[in-house]
Amino acid sequence: MLLFDGDCGFCTTAVRWIERNVSPHCESVAWQRADLRGIGVTRQRAQREALWVTPAGTVYGGADAVSKLLLSAGGGWSLLGALLMVKPVRRVAHGVYRLVADNRSRLPGTTDACSRSKARTRHT
């Protein structure tokens, strides 16, 4: 399962693009509609980063979630996912993910919810 911020226009647009173009083998669910407690994820973490939840219940966040998503898609996408797990690339991927996530309120397609989510995350 891919958990994302369903109140964020940028996040929702990105997930819809991924569904159409990458076709990962997962269900995409807005964290606002998910049983976070049952998954074992805090609201604060769900607000901070996209999450990949395996059938066994292992949770990956941020760039690791993107890597797992790409691996699940197969083909060339899985090669990119594997590359994102290589140590030097992984470090860069985490930095890029954090940069985008922390500034999503400034990106095209954002909503007021993106700014509110960012403010809540900073104060938690």
Side-chain angles (χ1 to χ4, degrees):
M1 175 185 336
L2 172 65
L3 290 177
F4 68 98
D5 188 346
D7 287 340
C8 173
F10 174 78
C11 300
T12 301
T13 299
V15 167
R16 298 300 169 240
W17 185 91
I18 289 167
E19 289 173 338
R20 282 190 315 275
N21 297 287
V22 179
S23 301
H25 294 111
C26 68
E27 177 184 9
S28 301
V29 178
W31 70 258
Q32 293 87 343
R33 293 170 181 67
D35 176 13
L36 295 180
R37 184 175 294 186
I39 296 168
V41 172
T42 65
R43 180 183 174 123
Q44 290 79 13
R45 184 172 184 197
Q47 287 175 327
R48 179 172 162 72
E49 60 189 355
L51 301 169
W52 179 263
V53 184
T54 69
T58 304
V59 179
Y60 298 91
D64 289 339
V66 173
S67 176
K68 296 296 183 181
L69 177 145
L70 292 169
L71 284 167
S72 82
W77 293 113
S78 64
L79 293 174
L80 181 57
L83 179 64
L84 291 176
M85 297 178 78
V86 175
K87 202 170 232 173
V89 177
R90 186 173 186 235
R91 182 170 289 154
V92 171
H94 280 276
V96 170
Y97 183 91
R98 200 66 271 139
L99 182 68
V100 171
D102 289 347
N103 292 287
R104 64 188 168 138
S105 64
R106 297 183 181 125
L107 297 172
T110 60
T111 63
D112 289 340
C114 299
S115 297
R116 287 192 307 270
S117 177
K118 183 178 176 183
R120 284 191 305 264
T121 302
R122 265 190 304 216
H123 299 298
T124 57

